[in-house]
Amino acid sequence: MAWGILSTARIGARLVEGARQTDRAEIVAVASRNEPAAQQFAETHDIPRAHGSYDALLADRAVEAVYIPLPNSMHVDWTLRALQAGKHVLCEKPMERRPERVVQAFDLAQERGLVLSEAFMWRHNPQTLALRALLDDGAIGAVRLIRASFSFVLDRDPDVRLDPALDGGALMDVGCYAVSGVRLVAGGEPTSIAAQVVTGPTGVDLRLTGLLRFDGDVLAIVDCGLDVTSRSELEIAGSEGRIVLGDPWHCIDPKIVVERGSGQEIVEVQRADSYRLELHDMAAAIRDDRPPLLGREDALGQSRAIHALYRAAAEGCAVAVG
Ligand SMILES: NC(=O)c1ccc[n+]([C@@H]2O[C@H](COP(=O)([O-])OP(=O)(O)OC[C@H]3O[C@@H](n4cnc5c(N)ncnc54)[C@H](OP(=O)(O)O)[C@@H]3O)[C@@H](O)[C@H]2O)c1
């Protein structure tokens, strides 16, 4: 599968690394608003072609699929343009905070017969699959409470994450993983959400906490921050035990702790490059004609939950999700 990357974003290097580890993906082109930057990125990462505009990459006939690691507010605009150009799209998380825009993107993908997926790389990792299997096997009984955290101190300024015009903010940047985590564990979509937010001087949310209620009386707490020490955690408390993941999102040190009564079991999981796995998933969806792991339903669920969290924080009361 021949891939093009829209922009010289830092995260692009991780996808290039993932592509190097599989013969199911090859990065053949990169584009930047600034041609020398594209050339530099291409040289550094051994990519055959560099384009001086995103449109030029979309016009490149050798490119079959496009990876979009642009600032958040540009995700759907460039997804639509890539789909119109006949390219399959892997769009970085979070795809979009406005659910109607997610619908628009997936409608176009369907109309054109193209694959579109949101790049939540953690969902492809064996640790995440092992977690889901443990829950399905009833390892901790019925799921009752879920707690998911992701924070770090952002010390670069300017940064796209601090710009409200680019849809920055803690929830969009890292909190979206916590939302993805509690949705996966609950196995459905939240019905009601409450939230509290701390807004920073640039106008984006620097810290946000959310309370989510799912069908079956499952409750979840999510928190995120751009000015809080580095934390990544996913805890699931059930009727018969508890599961804790200390590195749920990056999966660099995969390990699942399962506690039941006074006993503790450590489930060791093989390390794997999540970016390689998401490229594999896209290749399978495009070549083998099966749906991607993360399609319309998941992206829409994410967007609805994020939209509701921001709405609940602004209104200061619980809101229904929909
Ligand atoms: N899945 C993951 O593990 C992961 C990790 C980090 C980030 N992300 C996501 O990837 C996306 C990019 O994040 P990043 O940290 O890699 O961003 P970044 O390094 O700041 O890069 C963003 C790129 O977007 C392009 N761009 C176009 N218009 C821009 C504008 N008005 N201001 C700034 N840049 C502009 C620039 O490329 P050119 O100048 O070359 O055109 C820039 O290099 C975000 O959506 C983020 O949520 C995902």
Side-chain angles (χ1 to χ4, degrees), residues 121-136 149 177 181 184-185 232-236 243-258 265-274 276-277 293:
M121 80 302 184
W122 83 282
R123 288 287 309 272
H124 299 270
N125 195 277
Q127 174 176 249
T128 313
L129 306 184
L131 167 65
R132 192 58 260 171
L134 282 167
L135 295 171
D136 290 342
S149 305
Y177 285 94
L184 175 72
V185 171
S232 287
E233 199 169 43
L234 179 58
E235 178 195 27
I236 304 128
I243 290 180
V244 180
L245 275 69
D247 182 15
W249 325 122
H250 294 304
C251 311
I252 292 163
D253 183 19
K255 189 166 54 179
I256 302 176
V257 179
V258 184
E265 184 195 354
I266 310 269
V267 180
E268 300 286 351
V269 186
Q270 204 187 347
R271 281 188 195 199
D273 185 316
S274 302
R276 169 177 64 81
L277 294 170
L293 176 70

Side-chain angles (χ1 to χ4, degrees), residues 8-11 32-33 54 69 71-72 75 92-93 161 275:
T8 58
R10 279 179 298 259
I11 188 61
S32 174
R33 298 166 297 172
Y54 304 155
N72 300 331
H75 286 175
E92 258 309 340
K93 47 53 66 177
R161 290 158 185 75
Y275 302 91

Side-chain angles (χ1 to χ4, degrees), residues 137-247:
D137 289 350
I140 55 166
V143 171
R144 304 282 200 227
L145 287 169
I146 315 163
R147 192 175 53 78
S149 305
F150 199 175
S151 65
F152 71 105
V153 175
L154 176 59
D155 46 20
R156 279 187 307 268
D157 187 4
D159 187 282
V160 294
R161 290 158 185 75
L162 295 174
D163 189 341
L166 298 177
D167 284 346
L171 177 58
M172 291 294 276
D173 191 49
V174 282
C176 62
Y177 285 94
V179 170
S180 175
V182 299
R183 289 179 52 251
L184 175 72
V185 171
E189 302 300 341
T191 52
S192 169
I193 287 184
Q196 290 288 332
V197 68
V198 172
T199 304
T202 66
V204 302
D205 49 303
L206 284 184
R207 250 166 288 151
L208 186 139
T209 57
L211 302 174
L212 298 83
R213 185 184 191 106
F214 292 82
D215 281 341
D217 292 338
V218 175
L219 301 181
I221 304 169
V222 295
D223 73 71
C224 55
L226 297 178
D227 65 349
V228 183
T229 194
S230 290
R231 289 151 59 252
S232 287
E233 199 169 43
L234 179 58
E235 178 195 27
I236 304 128
S239 53
E240 295 165 26
R242 185 171 87 109
I243 290 180
V244 180
L245 275 69
D247 182 15

